[in-house]
Amino acid sequence: MSLLTEEVGIKPKHLRGVFCSNGTILTAPSGPNRTNLDPPSRPEVHCWCPSYPIKVHCSWLELPPTELLTHYDVTYSFKGGEIQQCRPYSVSMPVPPIPEPSLARVNNSSPGTMWLCVLEDLKLFTSYKLNVTAVNPVGSASHLQLFTLEDIVKPDPPVNVTVKVVPGKLKLLVKWAPPPSWSDHTLFPLMYKLRYQWKNKGNSHEIILEPFEVTKKYLPGLSPGRSYLIQVCSMEHMGLGQCSAWSPPVTVTMATD
């Protein structure tokens, strides 16, 4: 047992499968067996590219919190390339776009700290290896991930979404602005998808809008007296990655006559 584990009073039987200071491979306990003096849990890291091809965001939640100070070593590289480091920083929760299942775990868990690392100077159509290692005085745990920029493109949602009823018609005019974080609208234009549905029930309808960079859409043939929820998402014009999260819903009610 190392001096570090002796100092914090950890018994070896409680530490299995995590790297300790004496070189032993131990494993962090889970569930009810965990204590506030255990090695860190393996980070669950989610990466996405909100500004293709300029940068990639990687985030993770530090759960469960412990009494031991934890820091993170983050490196990334491509085959044959120099290993680069990224300095993570804590941010307010949640950092979009964390997948919905992960958000559910966050909301149902004890409070933790959200961390974010921004990877820059990346190459197109190149496979990268990411290593995020959580380290505290009694051990460490690593998350390894392979990615290419094109697979993880996910723009931020459109902003300034407005919806107006066209006077005298059962028609809506929806307008929005591109996400400010998207870096190059000339080489990498955005397309948009619009979703609308009745407020209280009914199926949603989605429309992919063309040409590129269009930022308004008329919705005709709506029902009088109905309230509708309107949302917009943004997507890379060649279909790389996935659509952004939906913009916050805007509610509008059609006139009765």
Side-chain angles (χ1 to χ4, degrees):
M1 183 167 62
S2 69
L3 291 177
L4 285 172
T5 57
E6 290 175 352
E7 288 175 0
V8 295
I10 301 298
K11 297 181 180 180
K13 66 179 181 180
H14 292 147
L15 305 174
R16 301 182 183 178
V18 180
F19 291 101
C20 284
S21 57
N22 64 357
T24 304
I25 301 178
L26 308 170
T27 298
S30 60
N33 294 322
R34 282 194 63 87
T35 75
N36 286 338
L37 298 178
D38 278 327
S41 298
R42 183 175 65 88
E44 293 188 21
V45 182
H46 172 63
C47 295
W48 71 100
C49 179
S51 183
Y52 182 78
I54 302 301
K55 61 185 63 174
V56 166
H57 290 183
C58 293
S59 69
W60 61 94
L61 186 66
E62 184 181 308
L63 277 178
T66 74
E67 295 178 6
L68 301 176
L69 181 63
T70 299
H71 73 272
Y72 294 92
D73 295 327
V74 181
T75 61
Y76 59 103
S77 63
F78 61 90
K79 187 176 181 180
E82 181 181 352
I83 296 177
Q84 301 183 68
Q85 293 185 330
C86 180
R87 178 173 294 181
Y89 56 93
S90 59
V91 294
S92 300
M93 296 192 300
V95 179
I98 301 174
E100 292 182 2
S102 297
L103 279 176
R105 288 197 298 273
V106 169
N107 293 333
N108 294 328
S109 303
S110 55
T113 301
M114 183 68 69
W115 292 86
L116 179 69
C117 219
V118 180
L119 316 183
E120 300 181 300
D121 300 323
L122 302 175
K123 298 178 180 293
L124 302 180
F125 303 103
T126 301
S127 179
Y128 281 86
K129 180 172 68 175
L130 172 74
N131 185 338
V132 179
T133 300
V135 182
N136 74 13
V138 296
S140 64
S142 294
H143 169 95
L144 298 177
Q145 178 176 335
L146 297 177
F147 70 87
T148 63
L149 282 175
E150 291 69 30
D151 290 336
I152 61 172
V153 171
K154 187 169 186 177
D156 287 333
V159 297
N160 302 329
V161 179
T162 62
V163 184
K164 294 183 178 180
V165 178
V166 178
K169 298 181 180 293
L170 295 176
K171 180 187 295 187
L172 294 175
L173 174 59
V174 185
K175 293 183 178 181
W176 59 90
S181 57
W182 194 256
S183 58
D184 193 334
H185 291 267
T186 302
L187 293 178
F188 305 103
L190 291 174
M191 293 177 62
Y192 298 94
K193 185 185 297 185
L194 189 148
R195 179 168 73 180
Y196 65 100
Q197 66 185 85
W198 291 346
K199 181 177 180 180
N200 297 322
K201 62 179 181 179
N203 298 324
S204 62
H205 302 273
E206 296 183 1
I207 305 171
I208 296 179
L209 306 178
E210 296 182 0
F212 308 142
E213 295 294 330
V214 61
T215 56
K216 68 177 181 179
K217 173 66 177 177
Y218 284 98
L219 293 179
L222 303 180
S223 301
R226 287 283 188 182
S227 293
Y228 287 87
L229 298 178
I230 314 294
Q231 294 174 285
V232 187
C233 74
S234 49
M235 53 197 299
E236 198 278 332
H237 78 292
M238 293 183 64
L240 298 179
Q242 57 182 308
C243 200
S244 73
W246 290 101
S247 62
V250 176
T251 303
V252 63
T253 301
M254 306 302 297
T256 56
D257 42 41

